[in-house]
Amino acid sequence: MDSSTDDIVKEIPGVIRVYKNGRVQKLLATNVVPAGLDPSSGVQSKDVLFSSDKTLSARLYIPKSTNAVTRKLPLLIYYHGGAFIVATAASRIYHNFLNLIAAESNVVIVSVDYRTAPEHPVPTCFQDSWEAIKWVEQHVNQNGPEQWLNKYSDLGRVFFCGDSTGANIAHHMGIRIGTENRSGGIYLQGIILLHPYFWGKDRVGSEPRQHPLMRVIRDLWLFAHPDTIGLDDPLINPALDPKVADLGCSRVLVCVGEKDILKDRGWYYKMILRKNGWRGDIEILEDKGEVHTFFLFKPCSQNACNLRNRIQINHSKVQDLPSGF
């Protein structure tokens, strides 16, 4: 056997390796778990197929309270992170995180398992994510194909949420809601961006002139979207998106970490929306001393608990939260 077939032709350390023979090895968030009952929270989950060709899936979560539900619960559509390259809706870190969100916020969740690069380069993830929204909208009149959504979800109280690249997707799905000529669909109340992955060619805020992670951020984007126009592509730089003010909701919550190199992009996002004429309410919250998506890896930390508390969206539980989420 020719050992050269195992030569690495592309590697982004800690994320992915591509071999000369075409094999792809993903290195992050590879530990997956099945859906089912979470004994610690009572949250139930299951996997469903949502595309017409039965190739796309999502993981659904319902809290224990649905056992005696007297009114329908808000719906959270969640997009996982992973640089558009790694992770799935079944990754352990996301499954554990969303069990907590479903239980603590008392919401129904649709976690979208969009396809990832390099097998499915950007913009596939955005197309898949929009397909998931259209599938959810089939349940507006309570006669859709998924009974959990028909029975438990209030499609007049919908929120999009995601972390890192998933937050990027949530942002773009919010814009598409605002730009599509739609009737009889879901009502998007707000989007929640956790450590959003936005970037651009020019520095903003206190971003350093040189930092090892800057090259990684660039390489991840160029790898995930080989046909991109570059770091000022509107898909990654909302400042250059002519549709950014069309965001189809009235509230935005952005969470950033003090030690995250992407932090300033989260703060800049508020300026972008205001500068372009978006008239909704936006709040930025920063966790001191925390790195990128710390809440996935340290779920029991006080800052992670505080972050989850901020994004509770069930109105019966949020009257004291400054953001109103």
Side-chain angles (χ1 to χ4, degrees):
M1 179 178 178
D2 184 0
S3 61
S4 66
T5 59
D6 285 333
D7 290 346
I8 297 172
V9 295
K10 176 68 176 180
E11 179 170 10
I12 302 177
V15 180
I16 193 166
R17 294 190 189 107
V18 180
Y19 293 87
K20 185 176 181 180
N21 64 1
R23 183 166 67 94
V24 173
Q25 183 182 14
K26 300 190 178 187
L27 306 173
L28 188 65
T30 58
N31 191 345
V32 299
V33 294
L37 176 66
D38 178 46
S40 63
S41 65
V43 171
Q44 296 184 68
S45 60
K46 66 178 176 180
D47 295 326
V48 297
L49 298 173
F50 65 79
S51 60
S52 57
D53 62 2
K54 304 300 182 183
T55 60
L56 301 179
S57 68
R59 181 163 290 189
L60 275 55
Y61 297 81
I62 55 172
K64 186 177 181 179
S65 64
T66 55
N67 293 334
V69 68
T70 57
R71 66 186 182 94
K72 293 191 173 185
L73 302 175
L75 177 68
L76 182 71
I77 300 180
Y78 194 87
Y79 304 100
H80 67 78
F84 305 114
I85 298 168
V86 296
T88 74
S91 294
R92 182 183 295 276
I93 55 172
Y94 287 108
H95 183 71
N96 292 346
F97 180 63
L98 294 180
N99 274 323
L100 290 170
I101 295 295
E104 295 170 0
S105 292
N106 199 32
V107 295
V108 177
I109 299 175
V110 174
S111 178
V112 181
D113 196 22
Y114 59 84
R115 292 172 292 178
T116 53
E119 300 90 341
H120 304 281
V122 175
T124 301
C125 56
F126 297 103
Q127 297 162 353
D128 292 351
S129 297
W130 184 246
E131 285 299 313
I133 292 170
K134 291 197 296 182
W135 175 76
V136 168
E137 288 188 322
Q138 294 179 36
H139 302 81
V140 167
N141 295 320
Q142 302 173 29
N143 59 357
E146 173 48 53
Q147 290 308 305
W148 278 9
L149 296 186
N150 289 331
K151 187 174 182 180
Y152 302 121
S153 63
D154 180 354
L155 299 189
R157 290 189 291 164
V158 176
F159 294 80
F160 296 165
C161 181
D163 68 283
S164 193
T165 50
N168 179 306
I169 294 173
H171 156 75
H172 283 287
M173 294 303 101
I175 289 177
R176 190 154 182 183
I177 287 287
T179 56
E180 292 279 330
N181 183 14
R182 304 160 58 256
S183 61
I186 62 173
Y187 179 69
L188 180 65
Q189 292 198 336
I191 64 172
I192 305 163
L193 309 183
L194 307 178
H195 297 200
Y197 177 36
F198 299 131
W199 202 244
K201 186 170 61 176
D202 298 326
R203 294 167 55 241
V204 302
S206 60
E207 288 175 354
R209 292 187 181 278
Q210 298 292 332
H211 192 286
L213 287 179
M214 287 184 167
R215 181 173 180 177
V216 174
I217 293 168
R218 181 201 66 189
D219 288 350
L220 288 170
W221 174 244
L222 297 178
F223 181 82
H225 190 10
D227 293 330
T228 183
I229 62 173
L231 294 179
D232 281 340
D233 190 319
L235 288 177
I236 196 171
N237 188 349
L240 297 180
D241 188 347
K243 297 181 179 180
V244 70
D246 295 326
L247 192 63
C249 61
S250 61
R251 291 185 287 169
V252 174
L253 174 64
V254 182
C255 295
V256 300
E258 180 189 18
K259 294 185 177 181
D260 184 0
I261 193 173
L262 298 176
K263 174 189 71 174
D264 290 293
R265 298 287 166 169
W267 284 102
Y268 188 45
Y269 182 73
K270 180 177 182 178
M271 185 185 303
I272 293 167
L273 291 182
R274 290 285 180 252
K275 179 180 178 181
N276 285 275
W278 184 74
R279 298 184 180 277
D281 296 323
I282 180 168
E283 183 172 6
I284 314 290
L285 297 171
E286 181 174 325
D287 284 301
K288 301 301 180 184
E290 299 294 0
V291 299
H292 191 61
T293 63
F294 73 95
F295 47 87
L296 296 175
F297 306 99
K298 301 189 296 181
C300 296
S301 69
Q302 188 59 57
N303 279 344
C305 293
N306 292 342
L307 180 142
R308 293 197 305 273
N309 188 62
R310 293 180 201 132
I311 65 177
Q312 289 182 0
I313 60 176
N314 193 330
H315 294 306
S316 65
K317 301 182 68 176
V318 299
Q319 61 268 23
D320 297 325
L321 293 181
S323 68
F325 273 83

